Amino acid sequence: MHYDTVITGGRWFDGTGAPSARRNIGVRDGRVATITPEPLDTTGAEVIDATGRWVIPGIIDIHTHYDVEILCEPELSESLRHGVTTVMLGSCSLSTVYLDNVDAGDIFGRVEAIPRRYVIEHLDAARSWTNPAEYVAELDRRNLGPNVAAFMGHSDMRAATMGLDRATRKDVRPSAAELARMESMLNEALDEGFVGMSSQQLLFDKLDGDVCRSRTLPSTYAKPRELRRLNAILRRRNKILQSGPDIKNPLSVVSQLATSLGVGRPRLKTSLLSAADIKAIPPVIHLMDRLARVVNALGGDFRWQHLPVPFEVYADGISLVVFEEFGAGAAALHLQDEIERNALMRDEDYRRRFREDYDQKFGPRVWHRDFFDAEIVACPDQTVVGKSFGQVGLDRGGLHPVDAFLDLVVEHGEKLRWRTTISNHRPEVLRKLARSETVQMGFSDAGAHLRNMAFYNSGLRLLRHVQEAEKRGSPFMSVERAVHRLTGELGSWYGIDAGTLREGDRADLVVIDPAKLDASLDRYAEHPVQSYGGLSRMVNRNDETVSAVLVAGRFAFGAGRPAPALGKQKFGRFLRAGQQARSLTPA
């Protein structure tokens, strides 16, 4: 048999959790043709020597916000270079299927920290669709790098049906015709192979623009009846609800967990944001795991999404989404004009309110509100670099940490750059979550919060954690199980044809040098996004870790370099839920 590509001598993982083995892999016509311990005929084939390396199925990223970037830079190279060969669009109730372009700018701009101007510009340039079928056709016309699957966004449907203004008013409910229209929209999306619907109830995601500025997402205004009607479609069609609860309301969390149950109705596959070991409330992660286990024991099909690495964030000045969760922070971010914002931050009454919010250390929240745990990494005033805001306050005569922070923001604006870790800081808890059957590996937020975070290589970092524990003689999970959690487990649960590397499977695969699963994965890096006016985005650069990435059997990326055809030719495709997906039984 002749092959297009032959991968020789690698440690092969099939993505099901079965034992790995040293194998040679022959690829032909975009599929895995042969997996064997015997030598293969390499005549006319491209040969990849994988001796001493791992060969795994392409990683699946279940939570991205590439909905705009895929229209202007469809190669999505920041994910592809780290072995991600399938990405999921439409998270957090946000998609661009039906939504007006300006409304999309208002929704994506502030919530996901993607410049509003470029959201609108790229949608204006790309828009050729009015429904899911045309949207999928447009994606399939693009020169995709990885494969793509998608959720239908609840906020997309709601704003397109009601108008963004009416969709974000507490006193307005959809008419019977409008609710029927949303149901029709969702059914149309599911007909085209969308994996389900994403919704969002979190109340500190705020809109951009002028008309509806600082209101929460449209989906947060939906009443129980609307949610039940849309969820009923997902139940009936065995599709997935992705959502996020209002973390300030414990009943919201319990309600969303209970939504998965099938008492007197079909159960609802539910993926909820997110299982995070939050510094602000350390015990809550253990409660989340227990609650999920109870729901699944009662017949639910529930998973928490989980980022398997420390959640380290960076900020320029006050531009960070965690400030949206309390009144004083949201008041500053509401103001678009820098002069107005600085005047507010100088005001002593405002500072008093900020200090009061900061000093409230109890109650549901994401940020632990500790400026002693926030390191300044760049500032025109070099004397403060490397210090915390708390320490700067002490150095300046015992200033409250809030005043030290606001003084520096007013003086230096976005030239002040700092970082903190808000969750997933305890390795022992990360190990426990990595094993938990109630969580899914994901939540990278790839394509969003461009100046705040970079988790494009989070899958590789999980593999490093597993390998290092194994080397120490204290393994918490096999490498086979870790690969399965990043690949086949996700492909099976979401019903897409991805995540396994067996004969007959599509040849989406990654060759990894395990010796380079090292400190390079933590290296800070930035790279400009040309389509966003050259905005410098936080990225990951560990070029020696991934030797080769193949999508549909074609070399797409490797050793830090894209294939010459990447971005010029099509590699990936739109993956329709329920088509050609195999049912997996992990070994």
Side-chain angles (χ1 to χ4, degrees):
M1 183 181 290
H2 293 286
Y3 303 99
D4 302 318
T5 302
V6 175
I7 303 165
T8 63
R11 181 183 173 187
W12 157 71
F13 299 79
D14 71 359
T16 71
S20 58
R22 191 172 183 271
R23 292 290 185 267
N24 301 308
I25 301 172
V27 175
R28 187 175 65 181
D29 297 330
R31 294 266 167 186
V32 178
T34 306
I35 299 174
T36 178
E38 304 302 323
L40 293 175
D41 182 3
T42 60
T43 304
E46 178 183 355
V47 178
I48 298 175
D49 183 4
T51 303
R53 287 166 166 76
W54 299 348
V55 184
I56 73 171
I59 294 170
I60 300 172
D61 191 337
I62 61 172
H63 191 114
T64 82
H65 291 284
Y66 277 134
D67 305 76
V68 177
E69 189 172 339
I70 200 167
L71 303 174
C72 50
E73 297 187 15
E75 62 272 25
L76 303 183
S77 59
E78 292 304 337
S79 286
L80 198 61
R81 71 188 303 136
H82 299 296
V84 174
T85 61
T86 299
V87 300
M88 201 83 72
L89 306 181
S91 295
C92 298
S93 86
L94 312 179
S95 56
T96 61
V97 178
Y98 294 105
L99 199 58
D100 172 85
N101 297 348
V102 173
D103 290 346
D106 290 350
I107 286 178
F108 277 89
R110 186 167 160 190
V111 171
E112 301 303 341
I114 304 171
R116 177 179 181 271
R117 164 190 170 187
Y118 297 113
V119 175
I120 297 169
E121 284 184 4
H122 289 303
L123 281 169
D124 282 345
R127 176 78 71 175
S128 65
W129 63 89
T130 59
N131 57 51
E134 293 171 355
Y135 177 73
V136 170
E138 179 62 37
L139 290 181
D140 267 332
R141 281 194 292 270
R142 301 263 157 185
N143 292 325
L144 299 177
N147 303 299
V148 176
F151 284 101
M152 183 68 244
H154 186 184
S155 287
D156 180 352
M157 297 186 296
R158 199 170 209 270
T161 299
M162 302 174 65
L164 187 58
D165 180 41
R166 290 183 65 247
T168 54
R169 289 186 177 276
K170 292 181 180 179
D171 59 341
V172 177
R173 298 189 182 188
S175 66
E178 288 170 333
L179 185 50
R181 176 59 184 141
M182 282 188 264
E183 291 176 309
S184 176
M185 287 173 161
L186 180 55
N187 272 311
E188 289 174 17
L190 300 181
D191 288 344
E192 294 303 319
F194 283 57
V195 298
M197 181 185 78
S198 68
S199 192
Q200 182 64 284
Q201 303 304 315
L202 190 64
L203 296 179
F204 66 70
D205 284 336
K206 305 290 176 60
L207 300 185
D208 206 339
D210 297 315
V211 177
C212 302
R213 187 170 183 81
S214 294
R215 298 182 195 174
T216 56
L217 288 170
S219 62
T220 65
Y221 295 84
K223 302 299 182 184
R225 179 171 178 267
E226 178 181 335
L227 295 171
R228 285 196 300 270
R229 291 272 293 268
L230 296 174
N231 288 345
I233 295 172
L234 301 175
R235 292 179 193 279
R236 186 168 62 251
R237 302 188 60 166
N238 194 29
K239 299 303 180 184
I240 296 163
L241 171 67
Q242 181 214 82
S243 190
D246 174 11
I247 62 170
K248 292 188 176 182
N249 180 4
L251 289 177
S252 174
V253 179
V254 173
S255 172
Q256 297 227 354
L257 280 156
T259 293
S260 182
L261 294 172
V263 180
R265 59 188 180 181
R267 69 181 182 179
L268 176 59
K269 296 179 77 171
T270 304
S271 178
L272 207 60
L273 315 179
S274 75
D277 180 21
I278 303 169
K279 279 186 179 180
I281 323 172
V284 75
I285 188 62
H286 305 293
L287 178 61
M288 293 166 73
D289 186 55
R290 291 190 184 98
L291 287 173
R293 290 179 186 277
V294 169
V295 167
N296 288 339
L298 293 174
D301 194 354
F302 179 90
R303 302 291 187 276
W304 292 106
Q305 291 190 15
H306 169 62
L307 181 72
V309 301
F311 205 111
E312 182 182 49
V313 295
Y314 284 70
D316 299 318
I318 199 170
S319 297
L320 186 63
V321 69
V322 296
F323 289 115
E324 301 273 22
E325 71 174 344
F326 59 91
L333 293 174
H334 174 76
L335 298 175
Q336 302 181 68
D337 182 78
E338 185 178 8
I339 295 175
E340 286 185 73
R341 185 181 288 182
N342 284 346
L344 176 68
M345 290 189 291
R346 288 190 186 98
D347 181 78
E348 183 51 41
D349 285 341
Y350 171 77
R351 290 189 171 216
R352 176 180 50 76
R353 286 191 289 124
F354 201 124
R355 289 192 295 268
E356 289 173 354
D357 286 336
Y358 174 88
D359 288 333
Q360 289 180 359
K361 303 299 185 183
F362 301 101
R365 63 201 183 284
V366 171
W367 179 40
H368 47 294
R369 302 182 196 179
D370 182 1
F371 276 132
F372 281 93
D373 184 15
E375 181 190 3
I376 300 166
V377 297
C379 184
D381 179 357
Q382 291 295 309
T383 66
V384 302
V385 175
K387 297 181 180 179
S388 71
F389 294 108
Q391 184 60 51
V392 171
L394 294 176
D395 293 346
R396 294 185 175 185
L399 281 178
H400 192 286
V402 164
D403 292 296
F405 171 71
L406 293 175
D407 284 347
L408 288 171
V409 172
V410 169
E411 184 176 358
H412 302 293
E414 294 192 348
K415 293 180 181 178
L416 170 70
R417 189 154 174 81
W418 56 281
R419 67 182 177 188
T420 188
T421 298
I422 60 177
S423 65
N424 296 347
H425 53 295
R426 297 184 288 182
E428 67 277 13
V429 178
L430 283 178
R431 289 192 286 271
K432 179 180 178 181
L433 290 171
R435 295 191 302 267
S436 174
E437 296 179 356
T438 70
V439 307
Q440 293 176 331
M441 299 299 124
F443 198 49
S444 78
D445 255 5
H449 304 288
L450 307 176
R451 294 287 301 155
N452 304 125
M453 60 185 71
F455 302 119
Y456 300 93
N457 68 354
S458 57
L460 299 176
R461 291 169 71 182
L462 173 64
L463 295 178
R464 179 185 65 182
H465 194 176
V466 169
Q467 180 179 241
E468 288 178 345
E470 195 174 75
K471 287 180 177 178
R472 289 194 305 268
S474 54
F476 64 94
M477 174 187 289
S478 69
V479 178
E480 287 86 350
R481 173 67 174 151
V483 169
H484 171 65
R485 302 229 68 185
L486 296 167
T487 60
E489 177 182 302
L490 300 173
S492 177
W493 200 80
Y494 284 90
I496 55 176
D497 185 17
T500 54
L501 189 60
R502 302 167 296 186
E503 290 183 356
D505 286 335
R506 199 176 54 257
D508 301 330
L509 60 88
V510 189
V511 181
I512 295 170
D513 184 351
K516 297 299 181 180
L517 291 170
D518 55 21
S520 67
L521 273 65
D522 301 319
R523 189 180 298 148
Y524 182 91
E526 296 185 15
H527 189 75
V529 185
Q530 298 302 333
S531 298
Y532 294 164
L535 175 69
S536 188
R537 160 173 41 195
M538 283 182 63
V539 295
N540 306 115
R541 288 290 181 270
N542 41 270
D543 294 342
E544 294 182 339
T545 308
V546 177
S547 306
V549 180
L550 274 63
V551 179
R554 299 176 61 197
F555 177 84
F557 221 105
R561 296 184 178 181
L566 188 66
K568 300 174 184 176
Q569 297 177 13
K570 181 179 175 180
F571 286 71
R573 64 184 180 89
F574 186 85
L575 301 182
R576 288 171 166 80
Q579 291 191 4
Q580 302 178 7
R582 299 182 181 183
S583 178
L584 296 181
T585 303

